[in-house]
Amino acid sequence: MHRSLSVAIEHYPIAGEFRIARGAKTEAVMVTCTIREEGRQGRGECVPYAHYGETPDGVCEAIAAMAGPVSKGIDRRGLLDIMPPGAARNAIDCAMWDLEARLAGTHASRFVCRTTPKALTTAFTISLGTPEQMARDARAAADRALLKIKLGGEGDPARMRAVAEAAPGCRIIADANEAWTSDMLATHMRAAADSRVELIEQPLPAGADDLLAGISRPVPVCADESAHVAADLDRLAGLYDAVNIKLDKAGGLTAAIAMHDKAKSLGMKIMIGCMVGTSLAMAPAVLLAQDADYVDLDGPLLLARDREPGLRYENSLVFPPEPALWG
């Protein structure tokens, strides 16, 4: 067996602007890892996240540094031992899953899913803006089943109310991206409940989780930035009702499966989320999300163009990946 590894940085324009509490961007930058063996290749995509100190160049270097272990046959379990969680490990791990399926002549869903994978309802993101802007965007997306609205702290009750009024037929979840303060918590939670919001992601900064203890939660709260890997969940259970599992945080599908199973054992609801990436990044997450309570895999829908071939999206439905894409 001889395996070779290559890595590349890719750029995809975002349709318009993607804005959250920490800033805005008009381009998605992702890193793609390819592993080749016996004339076949497996691919994995990751999105470096500056909030965690990741850069495209740094992630490329971390992936390239694994060329030796990969050529010597390290497997996905071994990768967990020598690489930390994060985007670089995610790209390699997903490339390994893809390659393994191709070498075995089967689909990765046989090893990931308990049943035949099906199309899932995914959230569609409404970027942070003024209440008026967000209402316009929500109105334009009012035919979708589930909207995810980005919040920013001050003024969020008006934002939630505006979206709820603009899209009365949509279910709504919200993501504060750590922008709320302890002083905002009670009023903003009541406003969320009044605006039909079903779930609030990461209202407080990571590290301030204990402030959630003992408070009234009229809307369930989901950990995102506070939860990266399975080992984080024991201390978060009871503070959070749900957890957002992202492959780029967990460091691959292998680690994300462990996180999924741990959350289930603790009685936490599960969201499978994503960064703004192409269908290649979403494909393994679609398999992981088959029994999730919430699915937020709209990354390609936020891009001006996706890679070809990509995932099949029909309005709010995202379909399992075809072998030509991944797995």
Side-chain angles (χ1 to χ4, degrees):
M1 179 189 76
H2 176 72
R3 289 185 172 181
S4 64
L5 177 152
S6 61
V7 60
I9 296 175
E10 299 184 77
H11 300 258
Y12 282 78
I14 290 173
E17 181 182 71
F18 181 74
R19 181 177 292 275
I20 65 172
R22 285 188 289 269
K25 60 182 181 178
T26 57
E27 180 184 64
V29 182
M30 57 280 298
V31 177
T32 304
C33 172
T34 303
I35 301 176
R36 295 177 175 85
E37 180 186 341
E38 296 179 4
R40 295 178 175 85
Q41 67 176 29
R43 299 182 301 160
E45 177 186 307
C46 69
V47 181
Y49 197 15
H51 186 59
Y52 300 133
E54 296 178 337
T55 65
D57 287 340
V59 167
C60 274
E61 291 173 5
I63 292 172
M66 291 297 108
V70 167
S71 70
K72 294 175 183 176
I74 191 170
D75 60 13
R76 291 182 286 102
R77 297 293 172 184
L79 199 66
L80 297 179
D81 294 331
I82 65 171
M83 289 191 79
R89 193 175 76 187
N90 177 33
I92 300 175
D93 178 81
C94 289
M96 286 180 166
W97 276 98
D98 189 22
L99 179 62
E100 288 166 16
R102 296 180 191 284
L103 290 172
T106 188
H107 198 285
S109 62
R110 285 190 57 192
F111 308 107
V112 180
C113 304
R114 293 178 174 86
T115 59
T116 301
K118 62 185 185 298
L120 303 170
T121 297
T122 179
F124 181 77
T125 302
I126 304 297
S127 285
L128 177 65
T130 66
E132 295 76 19
Q133 289 170 334
M134 295 180 73
R136 285 196 298 271
D137 291 345
R139 200 171 293 114
D143 60 335
R144 296 186 179 274
L146 178 64
L147 299 181
K148 176 174 178 174
I149 58 177
K150 290 292 189 177
L151 300 176
E154 195 67 37
D156 282 346
R159 293 184 177 100
M160 291 185 281
R161 184 167 56 250
V163 169
E165 291 174 355
C170 297
R171 295 168 56 210
I172 301 171
I173 57 178
D175 185 2
N177 285 117
E178 306 178 274
W180 291 4
T181 66
S182 58
D183 292 340
M184 296 175 180
L185 200 55
T187 57
H188 284 30
M189 289 284 280
R190 285 196 299 270
D194 291 343
S195 297
R196 300 185 288 105
V197 174
E198 298 181 15
L199 190 75
I200 296 285
E201 272 186 75
Q202 198 70 39
L204 299 170
D209 311 294
D210 289 343
L211 294 175
L212 295 170
I215 69 161
S216 174
R217 293 205 289 267
V219 176
V221 180
C222 178
D224 184 358
E225 285 85 350
S226 290
H228 291 241
V229 295
D232 294 329
L233 297 182
D234 282 320
R235 66 178 177 82
L236 299 177
L239 299 173
Y240 291 92
D241 307 288
V243 59
N244 187 346
I245 301 172
K246 295 176 180 174
L247 272 63
D248 277 314
K249 286 190 305 177
L253 179 59
T254 304
I257 290 171
M259 194 173 180
H260 166 283
D261 293 347
K262 179 70 171 180
K264 285 280 190 182
S265 74
L266 292 170
M268 300 177 78
K269 290 189 174 183
I270 291 174
M271 174 188 289
I272 303 300
C274 67
M275 308 298 287
V276 182
T278 77
S279 285
L280 181 58
M282 306 301 122
V286 171
L287 301 186
L288 180 65
Q290 288 297 306
D291 65 350
D293 300 282
Y294 294 92
V295 178
D296 180 26
L297 297 176
D298 65 340
L301 300 179
L302 306 176
L303 299 175
R305 59 179 176 85
D306 192 10
R307 67 173 74 242
E308 293 290 344
L311 287 172
R312 176 183 165 198
Y313 285 89
E314 289 185 6
N315 196 277
S316 292
L317 292 178
V318 55
F319 288 77
E322 295 293 335
L325 172 63
W326 184 87

